[in-house]
Amino acid sequence: MTDIIFQLIGFATLFIPIIIIIFVIVYVIKIVRRTERRADERLQIDKDNAALQQQQMAAINVLNQRLKNIEDTLKEVE
Protein backbone atom coordinates (compact mmCIF):
# COMPACT_ATOMS: atom_id res chain seq x y z
CA MET A 1 0.00 0.00 0.00
CA THR A 2 2.75 2.45 0.86
CA ASP A 3 4.46 1.65 -2.43
CA ILE A 4 1.40 2.86 -4.33
CA ILE A 5 1.33 6.08 -2.30
CA PHE A 6 5.02 6.73 -2.99
CA GLN A 7 4.48 6.02 -6.69
CA LEU A 8 1.55 8.47 -6.77
CA ILE A 9 3.67 11.11 -5.05
CA GLY A 10 6.43 10.47 -7.59
CA PHE A 11 4.01 10.85 -10.50
CA ALA A 12 2.56 13.99 -8.92
CA THR A 13 6.01 15.55 -8.64
CA LEU A 14 6.51 14.82 -12.32
CA PHE A 15 3.16 16.10 -13.55
CA ILE A 16 2.64 19.16 -11.35
CA PRO A 17 5.46 21.19 -12.97
CA ILE A 18 4.17 20.21 -16.42
CA ILE A 19 0.65 21.28 -15.50
CA ILE A 20 1.95 24.58 -14.08
CA ILE A 21 3.92 25.23 -17.27
CA ILE A 22 0.83 24.53 -19.38
CA PHE A 23 -1.24 26.96 -17.29
CA VAL A 24 1.45 29.64 -17.61
CA ILE A 25 1.60 29.19 -21.39
CA VAL A 26 -2.19 29.43 -21.69
CA TYR A 27 -2.20 32.58 -19.52
CA VAL A 28 0.54 34.21 -21.61
CA ILE A 29 -1.35 33.40 -24.81
CA LYS A 30 -4.50 35.03 -23.40
CA ILE A 31 -2.55 38.14 -22.44
CA VAL A 32 -0.97 38.38 -25.91
CA ARG A 33 -4.33 38.01 -27.64
CA ARG A 34 -5.90 40.64 -25.40
CA THR A 35 -3.01 43.01 -26.11
CA GLU A 36 -3.32 42.45 -29.86
CA ARG A 37 -7.06 43.11 -29.73
CA ARG A 38 -6.51 46.36 -27.82
CA ALA A 39 -3.81 47.41 -30.27
CA ASP A 40 -6.17 46.76 -33.18
CA GLU A 41 -8.86 48.82 -31.48
CA ARG A 42 -6.42 51.69 -30.88
CA LEU A 43 -5.29 51.53 -34.51
CA GLN A 44 -8.89 51.73 -35.72
CA ILE A 45 -9.56 54.68 -33.42
CA ASP A 46 -6.43 56.45 -34.70
CA LYS A 47 -7.51 55.85 -38.30
CA ASP A 48 -10.97 57.24 -37.57
CA ASN A 49 -9.45 60.29 -35.86
CA ALA A 50 -7.11 60.89 -38.80
CA ALA A 51 -10.04 60.73 -41.25
CA LEU A 52 -12.05 63.14 -39.08
CA GLN A 53 -9.12 65.56 -38.88
CA GLN A 54 -8.76 65.49 -42.67
CA GLN A 55 -12.45 66.32 -43.03
CA GLN A 56 -12.10 69.15 -40.54
CA MET A 57 -9.05 70.53 -42.34
CA ALA A 58 -10.92 70.43 -45.65
CA ALA A 59 -13.83 72.31 -44.09
CA ILE A 60 -11.45 74.87 -42.57
CA ASN A 61 -9.76 75.37 -45.95
CA VAL A 62 -13.14 75.96 -47.60
CA LEU A 63 -14.07 78.48 -44.91
CA ASN A 64 -10.72 80.24 -45.27
CA GLN A 65 -11.21 80.48 -49.02
CA ARG A 66 -14.68 81.96 -48.53
CA LEU A 67 -13.34 84.43 -45.98
CA LYS A 68 -10.58 85.45 -48.37
CA ASN A 69 -13.14 85.99 -51.14
CA ILE A 70 -15.27 88.12 -48.81
CA GLU A 71 -12.24 90.17 -47.75
CA ASP A 72 -11.24 90.69 -51.40
CA THR A 73 -14.76 91.78 -52.24
CA LEU A 74 -14.80 94.24 -49.35
CA LYS A 75 -11.43 95.67 -50.43
CA GLU A 76 -12.79 96.20 -53.95
CA VAL A 77 -15.84 98.02 -52.58
CA GLU A 78 -13.71 100.46 -50.58
Side-chain angles (χ1 to χ4, degrees):
M1 182 70 175
T2 57
D3 290 337
I4 294 173
I5 294 174
F6 285 125
Q7 285 179 349
L8 287 176
I9 292 173
F11 283 132
T13 57
L14 288 176
F15 289 120
I16 289 177
I18 294 172
I19 292 172
I20 291 173
I21 290 172
I22 289 172
F23 280 127
V24 168
I25 290 172
V26 168
Y27 185 71
V28 168
I29 289 172
K30 284 183 179 181
I31 289 174
V32 168
R33 286 184 182 168
R34 187 180 321 142
T35 304
E36 286 178 353
R37 186 175 52 238
R38 287 181 182 172
D40 290 340
E41 290 172 357
R42 283 189 205 122
L43 181 63
Q44 186 61 40
I45 289 170
D46 287 344
K47 285 180 181 179
D48 293 343
N49 285 340
L52 180 62
Q53 285 179 349
Q54 286 179 348
Q55 289 175 352
Q56 289 174 343
M57 286 303 296
I60 289 172
N61 287 337
V62 168
L63 290 175
N64 282 338
Q65 186 61 36
R66 286 182 177 176
L67 182 61
K68 183 178 178 184
N69 289 340
I70 291 171
E71 287 174 348
D72 290 343
T73 305
L74 288 174
K75 284 180 184 178
E76 288 176 5
V77 171
E78 289 178 358

